[in-house]
Amino acid sequence: MVTCNSHFYGSAPSLLPISVRKFQSSCEYHSIASLKFTQVSAKEKKTKPKVPPIQNELHINLVETQQLHCQLLKNCSDCAYRLTFPALKSYSSNAALYSFLITSYIKNNCPEDAVKIYIHMRKTDAKIDNFIIPSALKACCVVPSALLGQEVHGFVVKNGFHSDVFVCNALMMMYSEVGNLASACQLFDKIEKRDAVSWSIMLRNYSRHGMLNEALNLVREMHAIGVKPSEIAMISIIHVIAELADMKLGKGIHAYVTRNMSYEKPSVPLSTALIDLYAKCANLAYARRIFDNLSAASIISWTAMIAAYIHCNDLNEGFRLFIKILVEGVFPNDITILSLVKGCGAARALKLGKLLHAFTLRNGIAMSLNLATAFLDMYGKCSDVRSARSVFNNSTKNKDLMMYSAMISAYAKADCIDEAFDIFAQMTGCGIKPNEITMVSLLSLCAKSGSLEMGKWIHSYLDKQGIKADMVLKTSLVDMYSKCGDIDTAYGLFIKANDRDISMWNAMISGFAMHGHGNSALELFAEMEAQGVIPNDITFIAVLHACSHAGLVQEGKRLFCRMVNEFSLVPKIEHYGCMVDLLSRAGSLEEAQELIKDMPMRPNSAVLGSFLAACKVHKNVNLAEWAAKQFLSLEPEKCGYNVLMSNIWAASNRWENVADIRRAMKDAGIHKEPGFSSIEVHGTIHEFVMGDREHPETPKIYEMIGEMREKLEHAGYTPNVSVVLKNIDMEEKESAVNYHSEKLAMAYGLISTGHGIQLRILKNLRICEDCHNATKLVSKIYGREIIVRDRNRFHHFKEGFCSCNEYW
């Protein structure tokens, strides 16, 4: 064994910049086995031609790279050496070998060691040329280390390399990879003689950072000054247009490629990019035509075409094409599988995703961490959380942040709050620091489950860990507090955010809408317009919901007209649904019916459901029967219309019709969605169903129910038995309303929390009229503020009043 020279690791005072010294102090070196070299004589050095320091076709493994590194450290002199590897015989200087060594460490996934070599060269005043600098910058990208990249930039300027376009291109790439796009743009603007690579890198940078309009402007600038893009630049341009899904621009760039190509047909990479472009523009015919014209399709082309079918939800054809690959002897690799699995996740194609998983396991394709994460993410998006957890558990390699985040997202989608936080605890226990994506998933889960205490804990964790909140994370916090009933804290966070985007405005307007603060939502909408923020279709859905919950009919009609005439937005089914809900709630059922008939698209279950629910409230059986027929022709297998019509007939004492519809539901195997209520106490969510006796505190809960009933009767409360839609006697009806799930949750909250503590209850269905009246009185009797979130909105009960003002 050869021990590396001590001066390389000595503690002598360093003259390197602080960023390099910081990096060096955090690294450790290893003793490496030696490798014999053949010394090159002075005569041979004169006669041997000098080759470029890095040859892309040459690759040595990590052990050989370490041996070469050790030999260079052992023989520190100005002599050049020739390795026994034939491909390295012509490397005629230490600088050339160091350049090769840096690149080799990067190729062997050891970028930290590559950086150490650069540090060593700086410390020993070794010659650093314009070939070594790009290699060092590439190492900075992979680590990544923005500080070290800036140090290299400083070295470039001080030593006059900033005029070398090759070096400038590497600097642009480095700044983009470490997330500093502004510096990359400044460098690009200062390059006097840009080459095709410069333009390609800048196009790629804009595309990767989602700045598609800037990328298009760059393409126009290239065209204006007569720069002919290289094939790589052309592929970058095509990717930009594909992300925009602009068919017109796509056809234009296709024509440009055809006119300017050097050969009769576009190359396979160009054709593959065009296939992806037309797929994202939902034009499978064009994509398939390009694919069929390929003289020799690569595995990447096959992957792009299959992904195109998946993207356009033509899963059968995608499956057939995958089988055709195997028949033709083109064996897919892990990158192919990775691309297809991601497509299956986006298209929610669980069956095809499972087939790919089985194929991967049966054929011994290496299950890399990225591939395992892709399968996990696909299962999560397809709501198969059990399979997702199986992939997570079977991943024997060190799980990274992406895998933990994917598992948390899968649980978040399945509303499994305990399991999601268990995974989060495992992740932080392993020393992995969560990022914004992880925290957004947890916040969305808290918002759905109404878990304010857990949401507050996450907010506190963000502050303590110093996780910088970007706009997405800030918006998620506003949304979480709104949906958990704390609208004041949500508004406080909104006010503190200086750089609000349209998503944050929408979140706050939606928050006011669901809490019944219609006027506040309209004022915020006016403020948004005054600040020059242009509303989008989601904004109008939020503001129309606000009008609906507050009974602002005329204002809602005016906003709907403004959306069409002033902002040129085409109303979607959601906007029509809001207007139908607005008119129906206000009792204008005939006008709402006409709107449904005049809609340019067929009404969906949400539109008909809101109309049918309003018919029940306003006791209009004739219009309810009309809506039920529409509902039946739309979704006969759904129970929604059956339940609503059963309730409407029950309220009209038409018990024969009720019996018929319930019999039909039973014969068809249609089950009514069970109602439940939940309450969070000391960080734990407790769920109850009607008449529930499974809770450990059941005796105390029912004792409190009895106490509540006595106090309610003294306050003048009489049970509203009309909400019991069963043909039973009066006494049984009165008993039934006493044990509704929201009352059980309320009783548990009263016995489990101190006097004056706010109670927050989540109801999966619409709160019934009897529970609404009872809760108003309970809030006054016990001096508690009670916040109930049902399927439609929030109800804030305080001192015997509700924020809905009986309009719900």
Side-chain angles (χ1 to χ4, degrees):
M1 299 291 289
V2 178
T3 304
C4 298
N5 294 342
S6 59
H7 78 271
F8 193 38
Y9 314 98
S11 58
S14 175
L15 299 178
L16 290 173
I18 292 175
S19 61
V20 177
R21 294 205 299 273
K22 280 183 178 178
F23 189 92
Q24 183 180 352
S25 65
S26 65
C27 301
E28 296 180 359
Y29 277 76
H30 308 280
S31 297
I32 308 168
S34 65
L35 183 66
K36 291 184 179 180
F37 289 78
T38 303
Q39 188 172 355
V40 182
S41 65
K43 184 178 178 181
E44 286 177 318
K45 282 198 289 183
K46 289 180 182 178
T47 56
K48 286 281 183 182
K50 188 174 180 179
V51 245
I54 299 176
Q55 294 184 0
N56 292 329
E57 69 275 7
L58 176 60
H59 178 62
I60 61 175
N61 62 35
L62 180 58
V63 173
E64 294 166 337
T65 304
Q66 291 171 333
Q67 290 172 342
L68 170 60
H69 186 184
C70 199
Q71 187 69 34
L72 284 173
L73 294 176
K74 179 183 177 183
N75 298 281
C76 290
S77 67
D78 292 331
C79 297
Y81 300 92
R82 189 166 62 226
L83 273 173
T84 53
F85 300 118
L88 278 174
K89 287 182 179 179
S90 300
Y91 277 69
S92 56
S93 69
N94 277 1
L97 285 171
Y98 272 125
S99 179
F100 170 78
L101 194 58
I102 291 172
T103 305
S104 186
Y105 269 126
I106 295 170
K107 289 180 178 179
N108 284 289
N109 297 318
C110 296
E112 293 87 357
D113 291 326
V115 169
K116 293 172 194 174
I117 294 173
Y118 171 77
I119 295 172
H120 170 59
M121 296 183 74
R122 289 292 313 278
K123 187 173 180 179
T124 57
D125 293 326
K127 182 182 178 181
I128 297 178
D129 59 18
N130 58 339
F131 290 101
I132 292 176
I133 290 170
S135 299
L137 287 169
K138 186 174 182 181
C140 295
C141 296
V142 181
V143 170
S145 175
L147 279 175
L148 189 59
Q150 290 171 341
E151 189 280 329
V152 177
H153 191 178
F155 177 83
V156 166
V157 175
K158 289 176 184 177
N159 291 272
F161 291 117
H162 57 282
S163 59
D164 189 319
V165 68
F166 183 53
V167 172
C168 288
N169 290 341
L171 280 167
M172 281 197 299
M173 182 67 76
M174 180 275 297
Y175 278 121
S176 175
E177 290 292 334
V178 299
N180 191 345
L181 185 60
S183 294
C185 294
Q186 289 175 0
L187 271 169
F188 179 76
D189 292 337
K190 290 179 181 178
I191 299 175
E192 294 180 2
K193 296 182 179 179
R194 303 166 186 156
D195 60 6
V197 178
S198 307
W199 292 93
S200 298
I201 290 173
M202 207 60 229
L203 277 169
R204 176 179 173 272
N205 291 345
Y206 280 137
S207 178
R208 287 187 61 190
H209 286 80
M211 302 173 69
L212 304 181
N213 290 327
E214 288 81 356
L216 279 179
N217 290 335
L218 200 64
V219 173
R220 295 185 183 102
E221 185 181 345
M222 290 175 67
H223 184 71
I225 63 177
V227 176
K228 188 174 182 179
S230 64
E231 182 174 304
I232 295 173
M234 197 78 75
I235 291 172
S236 296
I237 294 169
I238 293 170
H239 283 320
V240 169
I241 298 172
E243 291 302 317
L244 290 170
D246 191 317
M247 187 66 180
K248 185 177 179 181
L249 274 176
K251 287 183 176 181
I253 197 65
H254 190 179
Y256 182 84
V257 168
T258 305
R259 288 196 303 268
N260 290 276
M261 62 187 177
S262 304
Y263 304 97
E264 185 178 345
K265 288 185 177 181
S267 66
V268 173
L270 259 178
S271 297
T272 303
L274 287 168
I275 290 170
D276 180 64
L277 164 67
Y278 284 119
K280 288 178 177 174
C281 293
N283 194 326
L284 276 175
Y286 277 34
R288 187 59 192 256
R289 190 181 304 170
I290 294 170
F291 178 78
D292 291 338
N293 286 333
L294 285 172
S295 54
S298 67
I299 185 62
I300 300 174
S301 305
W302 282 97
T303 303
M305 195 62 240
I306 297 172
Y309 281 116
I310 295 172
H311 177 77
C312 296
N313 287 315
D314 192 348
L315 303 180
N316 291 330
E317 191 59 35
F319 175 75
R320 281 195 288 269
L321 207 59
F322 182 78
I323 298 300
K324 190 176 180 180
I325 286 184
L326 305 179
V327 171
E328 297 196 5
V330 182
F331 194 78
N333 55 24
D334 58 338
I335 298 174
T336 306
I337 300 295
L338 179 65
S339 176
L340 296 178
V341 171
K342 286 182 178 179
C344 289
R348 308 297 189 264
L350 179 60
K351 185 177 179 182
L352 186 54
K354 283 188 172 182
L355 179 137
L356 290 170
H357 195 180
F359 177 85
T360 302
L361 296 175
R362 288 173 184 167
N363 289 277
I365 296 175
M367 184 65 77
S368 65
L369 199 57
N370 285 340
L371 186 55
T373 303
F375 275 118
L376 194 161
D377 183 62
M378 180 272 296
Y379 283 123
K381 288 177 178 176
C382 295
S383 301
D384 188 352
V385 71
R386 182 177 295 180
S387 297
R389 186 58 189 260
S390 176
V391 173
F392 180 84
N393 291 340
N394 290 331
S395 181
T396 55
K397 298 180 181 179
N398 292 329
K399 300 178 178 70
D400 62 0
L401 174 61
M402 296 304 295
M403 176 164 277
Y404 278 108
S405 296
M407 192 66 246
I408 289 171
S409 296
Y411 278 131
K413 182 175 174 60
D415 296 337
C416 301
I417 188 167
D418 293 334
E419 291 82 355
F421 276 93
D422 285 343
I423 295 294
F424 181 76
Q426 287 183 35
M427 181 180 73
T428 53
C430 294
I432 298 175
K433 187 176 180 180
N435 61 7
E436 295 84 355
I437 298 171
T438 313
M439 306 314 289
V440 166
S441 294
L442 290 173
L443 285 170
S444 68
L445 182 53
C446 291
K448 284 193 288 185
S449 62
S451 179
L452 181 63
E453 290 185 37
M454 293 306 297
K456 284 182 174 179
W457 182 88
I458 294 171
H459 193 181
S460 175
Y461 180 87
L462 290 171
D463 294 336
K464 289 178 181 178
Q465 297 296 319
I467 298 175
K468 187 178 180 181
D470 58 9
M471 189 50 55
V472 176
L473 192 50
K474 289 178 183 177
T475 303
S476 296
L477 282 167
V478 170
D479 183 63
M480 182 275 294
Y481 278 111
S482 296
K483 290 179 178 176
C484 289
D486 194 348
I487 193 67
D488 293 332
T489 301
Y491 187 62
L493 289 171
F494 174 81
I495 292 298
K496 289 179 183 177
N498 297 321
D499 49 348
R500 306 171 197 140
D501 62 3
I502 186 63
S503 296
M504 179 167 277
W505 286 96
N506 290 344
M508 196 64 245
I509 293 172
S510 296
F512 280 137
M514 70 177 72
H515 283 267
H517 302 329
N519 290 324
S520 297
L522 293 176
E523 289 171 7
L524 199 63
F525 179 77
E527 183 184 343
M528 183 184 78
E529 286 191 280
Q531 293 189 18
V533 181
I534 300 174
N536 58 16
D537 57 337
I538 298 173
T539 314
F540 279 101
I541 292 173
V543 78
L544 288 172
H545 265 305
C547 293
S548 176
H549 289 310
L552 303 172
V553 178
Q554 295 306 316
E555 189 62 28
K557 289 180 177 180
R558 187 182 68 83
L559 285 167
F560 188 83
C561 292
R562 283 192 66 199
M563 179 185 72
V564 177
N565 300 323
E566 185 176 337
F567 294 97
S568 301
L569 293 172
V570 178
K572 297 180 179 178
I573 188 74
E574 293 84 0
H575 299 104
Y576 283 106
C578 290
M579 290 303 297
V580 169
D581 189 54
L582 173 69
L583 296 170
S584 301
R585 285 175 186 269
S588 302
L589 294 174
E590 289 78 10
E591 188 177 355
Q593 183 188 33
E594 289 304 314
L595 181 60
I596 293 172
K597 291 178 178 179
D598 294 339
M599 284 168 54
M601 71 283 291
R602 191 178 183 186
N604 60 12
S605 57
V607 174
L608 293 171
S610 63
F611 181 76
L612 197 54
C615 291
K616 175 180 178 292
V617 171
H618 295 287
K619 298 179 173 57
N620 192 321
V621 178
N622 292 331
L623 285 179
E625 290 177 341
W626 173 85
K629 290 178 182 177
Q630 309 300 314
F631 217 137
L632 181 61
S633 64
L634 184 68
E635 294 179 345
E637 75 285 354
K638 294 289 180 73
C639 71
Y641 91 95
N642 290 289
V643 173
L644 278 170
M645 281 309 303
S646 173
N647 293 345
I648 290 169
W649 282 325
S652 303
N653 293 319
R654 292 169 57 175
W655 298 111
E656 291 183 4
N657 297 98
V658 173
D660 290 341
I661 201 166
R662 289 179 178 172
R663 192 180 304 111
M665 288 174 64
K666 184 178 180 180
D667 293 341
I670 300 172
H671 301 285
K672 178 185 175 182
E673 180 184 3
F676 68 85
S677 298
S678 63
I679 184 170
E680 184 182 26
V681 177
H682 307 311
T684 302
I685 296 175
H686 302 261
E687 285 190 0
F688 298 90
V689 295
M690 180 180 171
D692 200 333
R693 292 185 177 271
E694 298 296 323
H695 196 277
E697 302 288 335
T698 292
K700 293 181 180 180
I701 293 171
Y702 276 78
E703 184 180 344
M704 175 54 73
I705 288 286
E707 180 187 313
M708 288 165 55
R709 185 168 58 225
E710 288 180 9
K711 291 186 176 182
L712 285 169
E713 287 175 356
H714 284 302
Y717 162 78
T718 303
N720 182 359
V721 295
S722 66
V723 300
V724 182
L725 303 174
K726 293 183 179 179
N727 192 13
I728 55 179
D729 61 41
M730 191 62 65
E731 186 177 344
E732 287 179 298
K733 288 185 177 182
E734 288 185 6
S735 177
V737 296
N738 287 326
Y739 304 116
H740 278 188
S741 62
E742 46 265 68
K743 288 180 180 172
L744 294 175
M746 201 186 316
Y748 180 70
L750 290 172
I751 66 173
S752 303
T753 59
H755 180 72
I757 300 297
Q758 197 178 65
L759 302 182
R760 299 173 186 273
I761 297 171
L762 177 68
K763 170 80 174 179
N764 70 323
L765 303 176
R766 185 176 183 269
I767 186 172
C768 76
E769 188 177 346
D770 177 74
C771 287
H772 189 269
N773 294 334
T775 307
K776 284 192 295 183
L777 288 173
V778 168
S779 70
K780 183 176 182 179
I781 294 168
Y782 289 91
R784 300 286 193 106
E785 182 180 0
I786 303 172
I787 299 174
V788 178
R789 184 180 112 190
D790 70 4
R791 174 174 281 180
N792 296 323
R793 58 168 296 158
F794 275 92
H795 298 264
H796 293 253
F797 299 94
K798 190 173 183 179
E799 293 296 328
F801 295 96
C802 180
S803 61
C804 70
N805 295 318
E806 308 306 316
Y807 192 85
W808 53 284

